[in-house]
Amino acid sequence: MLAYSGGLDTSVILGWLQDQGYEVHCVYVDLGQPCEDRDAIMEKARTCGAKSSRLVDVREELCRDFAFPVLAWQAKYEQIYLLGTSIARPLISKVCLEVAREVGATAYAHGATGKGNDQCRFQLAAEALDPNIEMIAPWRIKSFRDAFPGRTELIEYCDVKRIPVKASTAKPYSSDENVLHISYEAGQLEELDVNGVELVEFGMGVSPQAAPDKPEEVTIGFESGVPKTLNGNAVNALEMVEQLNDIAGRNGVGRIDMVENRFVGMKSRGVYESPGMTVLYDALMYIEQLTMDRDLMHLRDRMAPEVAELVYYGFWYTPKMDALLSFIETAQRPVTGEVTLQLYKGNIMVSSRTSPNSLYDEEIATMEGGGTYNQDDAEGFLRIQGLPSRVQGRVSPRKF
């Protein structure tokens, strides 16, 4: 059973596995890849000798059960990456193993390299779900690497075999697509003096410079931390992400260029675009500011990098992740409300926000005279808070 994208690596691997004597069943997991021709990919799998080829649509599940819980954590890997590729990998493994069980396959093959994160995500998820599955990762097999030392040889193989692929020697990028984002790596992007966002031909939106010269407003409603309405209309998870991709994409929102620390230990450079999810992160933040208890929010914020690491490394199907997902579901219960944002040339600005569970009390917070807050109370509060410092100051005076 081959996790088949129809891209450069899996196109070559399909042929190579057959050369090794395997009967190969191809599974294309439809994650909402915005730039891919699904019919052509399925036809290519059949033409290239797959025993069977199947498309499994999990776009709604990806958004609802994987992306939105990570969103609720406000989890970003190394402060900036919204984990678009990482989130999808455990779902891909789950789908592939379901198909493998149905067709009687005992081995699970994928095209992830031995240098990257995806090999970890695929395998850790698969072994958690089916400890007996045999994993085949051709890039970790010497004979495969000897035959295909790099992307140039892969492209040449496809040229000889007349296998259509998007990669070329002029633009040998490795890209990963789903409804959440598109990532771009390899080729000239490995050179840090190259401007990545100018080099890449993005698939989900325009550059901030090419965006309209006036802001566009968008209103998003949340129920217990889950996005539910868009511009006053009830939408499901997939519709929310797809429609926000269109809105944010045309306003130049959601592009990043970063050097990140891979799980295997090396640093790598990637360019990402996540227009819709970028807006959702900001939108949820503004409702949380109204509704989430301070200490609970700060605890969540301290734990969010841990969640981002678990997702990035591939530890989705673990007791620790199960517990953290249960925690955030409880923490998000009061996070209900509506926020209106302005999108303008890559920027996101808040126009208004409201919630029936708002903890913001103007009578308490006002800087004007009166109100319900007694400033005399602060005297005792600060005397108690400062007690340890006064004692320390007497015992161990600080020079100043």
Side-chain angles (χ1 to χ4, degrees):
M1 200 288 311
L2 172 64
Y4 184 74
S5 69
L8 179 60
D9 289 27
T10 57
S11 294
V12 173
I13 288 169
L14 171 56
W16 183 83
L17 286 170
Q18 293 174 87
D19 292 340
Q20 309 309 303
Y22 285 97
E23 183 179 271
V24 185
H25 298 266
C26 289
V27 178
Y28 177 91
V29 183
D30 188 350
L31 303 159
Q33 296 89 325
C35 302
E36 295 186 356
D37 184 335
R38 287 147 180 76
D39 291 338
I41 290 170
M42 291 291 94
E43 178 61 27
K44 182 165 70 169
R46 290 187 289 269
T47 301
C48 294
K51 179 68 174 178
S52 71
S53 59
R54 183 180 310 193
L55 182 150
V56 182
D57 186 345
V58 293
R59 294 172 298 163
E60 172 72 13
E61 184 178 359
L62 172 66
C63 298
R64 182 191 65 231
D65 298 339
F66 289 80
F68 284 3
V70 176
L71 163 69
W73 270 102
Q74 290 284 336
K76 301 178 182 179
Y77 185 67
E78 296 184 339
Q79 303 180 60
I80 186 171
Y81 172 41
L82 301 188
L83 300 159
T85 292
S86 319
I87 290 168
R89 295 323 195 194
L91 178 55
I92 292 173
S93 280
K94 179 173 82 76
V95 170
C96 287
L97 290 179
E98 289 169 346
V99 175
R101 181 171 54 197
E102 182 180 332
V103 302
T106 58
Y108 171 20
H110 60 76
T113 75
K115 290 184 176 182
N117 298 306
D118 284 334
Q119 61 172 337
C120 309
R121 297 162 185 159
F122 285 137
Q123 185 157 340
L124 292 170
E127 291 183 347
L129 295 172
D130 183 356
N132 297 317
I133 194 71
E134 176 191 352
M135 298 298 302
I136 300 176
W139 281 112
R140 301 204 301 255
I141 299 172
K142 188 176 185 301
S143 60
F144 182 86
R145 294 197 307 275
D146 288 343
F148 306 102
R151 298 183 67 78
T152 299
E153 289 76 17
L154 293 172
I155 293 168
E156 290 174 353
Y157 177 89
C158 291
D159 288 341
V160 170
K161 297 288 186 178
R162 297 181 182 272
I163 301 171
V165 290
K166 287 193 295 184
S168 67
T169 52
K171 296 179 181 179
Y173 306 127
S174 174
S175 65
D176 176 71
E177 302 181 13
N178 61 48
V179 72
L180 307 176
H181 93 149
I182 305 178
S183 67
Y184 307 89
E185 295 179 316
Q188 284 184 271
L189 291 175
E190 293 176 351
E191 303 169 19
L192 297 184
D193 58 352
V194 171
N195 186 320
V197 295
E198 291 181 356
L199 178 68
V200 166
E201 295 180 5
F202 287 93
M204 298 179 81
V206 303
S207 70
Q209 296 90 329
D213 291 330
K214 60 180 294 185
E216 180 174 356
E217 282 199 341
V218 59
T219 299
I220 302 168
F222 291 85
E223 294 179 14
S224 295
V226 179
K228 291 290 188 178
T229 63
L230 180 60
N231 291 332
N233 300 313
V235 292
N236 63 31
L238 175 61
E239 291 167 340
M240 176 68 72
V241 175
E242 286 184 329
Q243 291 179 33
L244 278 176
N245 281 341
D246 291 340
I247 296 169
R250 63 176 173 250
N251 286 284
V253 170
R255 296 181 176 187
I256 64 169
D257 180 341
M258 70 181 293
V259 174
E260 68 202 62
N261 290 293
R262 287 182 178 171
F263 187 20
V264 295
M266 70 185 72
K267 290 184 182 290
S268 66
R269 193 264 191 96
V271 173
Y272 304 107
E273 56 176 334
S274 307
M277 291 304 298
T278 298
V279 171
L280 284 176
Y281 267 72
D282 273 34
L284 181 60
M285 174 187 69
Y286 287 119
I287 301 302
E288 287 177 342
Q289 289 173 352
L290 293 182
T291 59
M292 190 177 280
D293 170 76
R294 179 193 67 183
D295 291 341
L296 176 58
M297 179 185 288
H298 291 180
L299 175 62
R300 192 279 309 273
D301 290 347
R302 292 195 298 272
M303 296 166 67
E306 184 86 6
V307 173
E309 280 192 357
L310 287 173
V311 176
Y312 186 86
Y313 294 165
F315 292 106
W316 185 275
Y317 299 114
T318 59
K320 183 177 180 180
M321 191 65 180
D322 291 341
L324 288 166
L325 291 174
S326 295
F327 170 88
I328 201 62
E329 184 176 353
T330 300
Q332 289 285 332
R333 283 177 185 167
V335 184
T336 294
E338 191 172 77
V339 58
T340 297
L341 304 172
Q342 286 189 343
L343 311 183
Y344 179 67
K345 291 188 176 294
N347 296 293
I348 303 174
M349 301 158 286
V350 61
S351 291
S352 66
R353 70 217 97 171
T354 182
S355 169
N357 302 328
S358 177
L359 302 176
Y360 175 77
D361 188 329
E362 187 177 354
E363 281 293 304
I364 293 176
T366 181
M367 298 293 288
E368 301 300 326
T372 59
Y373 181 84
N374 185 349
Q375 296 188 51
D376 293 347
D377 295 341
E379 183 65 32
F381 169 77
L382 284 169
R383 291 296 294 172
I384 296 296
Q385 292 293 320
L387 177 59
S389 295
R390 293 197 300 275
V391 173
Q392 284 286 346
R394 295 188 189 107
V395 175
S396 303
R398 295 177 181 269
K399 294 182 179 179
F400 62 94

